[in-house]
Amino acid sequence: MPRNAAPLLRSPVPRAADSDRRRTNASVILRSVLEHGPVARSTIARLTGLSPASVTDYCAHFAGLGLIHESATPERSRGVGRPHVPVDLDDSRFIVGGVHVAVPYTTVALLDLRGRVLAERRIGHDTTDPSRVLERAAEGLDALLADASGAIPLGVGVAAGGWVDRDSGTIVDHPLLGWRDVPVREILGTRTGLPVHVDGHARALVNGERLFGRARGSRSVLHLFVGNVVDAAFATNDEVHHGPRSQAGAIAHLPLRGGTEPCDCGRVGCLQVELSERTLCRKAREAGIVDGVNPTHVVAAAERGDPVAVRLLTQRARMAGRAAGLLLDILNPETVVVTELGVIHREDCLRALREEVGDARASAVVPTSFPDSVLAVAGGSVMLDVLFRDPLSVSQATI
């Protein structure tokens, strides 16, 4: 894997308050370029409330780092003077690695600075031993980067379900994998030689939706992730709530009205055991629809017109709608994004989910913006969120 990762930029900032202000200003300017580019510097100043001189200075700095470039086509000035030369994100130089650790497999990917997946590979688990899983993830990234000649990797983002402590870069507890206190940042950082950032996949996808998806501009966003692991994340005023040691979003054992599945905790109807892809596949096997544990085979059966497969998927979507409605009652977000297999692929499932939420709030509930690459985007968004929050920490390596 290339080792020419971007080092930290060391700026002689005398006070912490000044450093925080510079970081915030840099973030809002680069986000404005991402959202509105190609965009004139004067427009950025108007959008952000910063002075034109300050915007010009930051843009010059970003251009020097290789994060933005001037657009080839100047805009006509409305008054007398030279035409404005817009700036835009430079997505040709830098890439980030993305790793998502699921129960049956790991997804590795490369993304550009706009969150677009450039390359992706799925690596099945021959064991759930964390050292082996992470070693194979690093090997997968090596292979992808070997084909991405000329691109400079800024770092690697890792997303997973369970309890993930962002600050320490540790997967504290992932019961379905049997992982406890796995130092993911340390292991992958040593193996790749790149900066590694780690977070829960629901929180990662909230950031992906805010940066690149349907939730851009929303003042508050809830993300409900329904896979083998079921969890949630909530962001308000551009900040994702993590809680102490990043334990926020653990909803696996919330009681779900109408639930009948026994849970390992001793209760019946816990949210994760009701909605888990494992439960979906077990029911499909019992009905003779599939003979394995791949939930996409249930979707394929529904596409072929199997009425039992359709019923299983729409029932699951309705139960996911009940979970979304419960979280809506508690948090009252402006936008709810749901990542769930049936909702992603079938209009009848999205309709069933919205019906369960209720007409008054149905329009606030949307499926993921990344239906074909949600796991890759989850991993990459961990690193891209770091970049767009603190772009001054990244500088272009010497070429």
Side-chain angles (χ1 to χ4, degrees):
M1 178 177 293
R3 298 296 188 267
N4 53 345
L8 292 179
L9 179 68
R10 303 187 183 279
S11 301
V13 181
R15 294 183 301 175
D18 293 336
S19 178
D20 290 344
R21 182 163 54 251
R22 281 174 55 81
R23 183 166 54 248
T24 299
N25 291 347
S27 176
V28 297
I29 290 171
L30 191 61
R31 285 277 298 274
S32 293
V33 176
L34 170 68
E35 293 176 20
H36 303 285
V39 59
R41 295 167 180 83
S42 58
T43 302
I44 296 173
R46 177 173 54 81
L47 290 169
T48 62
L50 297 172
S51 71
S54 181
V55 170
T56 297
D57 287 345
Y58 279 104
C59 285
H61 191 70
F62 291 151
L65 296 178
L67 295 174
I68 68 172
H69 60 85
E70 291 188 339
S71 177
T73 306
E75 290 183 349
R76 284 186 172 274
S77 175
R78 294 184 179 180
V80 178
R82 295 181 300 173
H84 296 297
V85 180
V87 294
D88 202 0
L89 198 68
D90 188 343
D91 53 28
S92 65
R93 301 187 184 194
F94 296 116
I95 56 176
V96 301
V99 176
H100 179 275
V101 183
V103 175
Y105 56 83
T106 295
T107 301
V108 296
L110 301 179
L111 291 81
D112 69 11
L113 299 193
R114 298 185 188 276
R116 296 177 297 205
V117 177
L118 306 175
E120 181 177 353
R121 178 175 296 183
R122 183 174 291 181
I123 304 168
H125 293 163
D126 53 9
T127 173
T128 57
D129 175 76
S131 297
R132 175 62 176 162
V133 169
L134 296 175
E135 175 66 22
R136 295 189 71 198
E139 290 171 353
L141 285 173
D142 274 339
L144 295 182
L145 284 166
D147 293 332
S149 58
I152 301 172
L154 295 178
V156 179
V158 183
W163 175 6
V164 182
D165 184 359
R166 177 188 61 169
D167 293 336
S168 67
T170 301
I171 294 181
V172 181
D173 189 24
H174 195 309
L176 295 183
L177 285 174
W179 289 16
R180 285 196 63 84
D181 297 320
V182 177
V184 175
R185 178 191 295 162
E186 178 184 338
I187 294 172
L188 274 182
T190 299
R191 174 60 177 77
T192 64
L194 292 168
V196 175
H197 299 271
V198 187
D199 208 346
H201 56 202
R203 292 191 293 263
L205 286 168
V206 162
N207 287 325
E209 293 285 349
R210 290 189 307 103
L211 288 170
F212 315 113
R214 292 189 178 97
R216 180 183 285 179
S218 292
R219 289 167 293 181
S220 56
V221 185
L222 168 71
H223 187 277
L224 175 62
F225 186 97
V226 182
N228 281 310
V229 173
V230 179
D231 52 15
F234 181 63
T236 182
N237 294 327
D238 213 29
E239 288 290 336
V240 177
H241 180 62
H242 283 76
R245 291 207 69 193
S246 299
Q247 292 188 75
I251 59 172
H253 296 287
L254 285 179
L256 195 57
R257 177 173 53 86
T260 59
E261 293 288 326
C263 182
D264 290 342
C265 73
R267 293 182 294 181
V268 173
C270 291
L271 196 153
Q272 181 163 287
V273 73
E274 288 292 334
L275 298 181
S276 170
E277 288 175 352
R278 290 184 169 189
T279 302
L280 172 67
C281 289
R282 192 206 77 226
K283 291 178 177 179
R285 288 195 304 272
E286 291 171 351
I289 298 169
V290 301
D291 57 4
V293 293
N294 189 335
T296 63
H297 293 171
V298 185
V299 176
E303 289 299 313
R304 294 193 299 267
D306 188 302
V308 179
V310 172
R311 176 176 58 79
L312 288 175
L313 290 170
T314 53
Q315 284 180 345
R316 184 175 188 243
R318 286 191 181 281
M319 295 296 271
R322 291 183 187 179
L326 177 65
L327 296 171
L328 269 163
D329 288 340
I330 297 170
L331 299 170
N332 192 31
E334 184 177 339
T335 303
V336 179
V337 181
V338 178
T339 296
E340 190 273 337
L341 191 66
V343 172
I344 290 173
H345 293 289
R346 296 183 60 87
E347 282 296 325
D348 55 353
C349 289
L350 177 59
R351 186 164 55 251
L353 177 124
R354 285 175 167 166
E355 286 173 355
E356 196 66 35
V357 168
D359 291 343
R361 301 184 296 186
S363 62
V365 182
V366 297
T368 176
S369 302
F370 319 107
D372 300 320
S373 55
V374 65
L375 302 184
V377 171
S381 291
V382 177
M383 183 65 215
L384 290 168
D385 176 62
V386 172
L387 168 65
F388 282 99
R389 283 189 182 278
D390 191 6
L392 293 180
S393 69
V394 179
S395 66
Q396 184 177 1
T398 301
I399 300 175

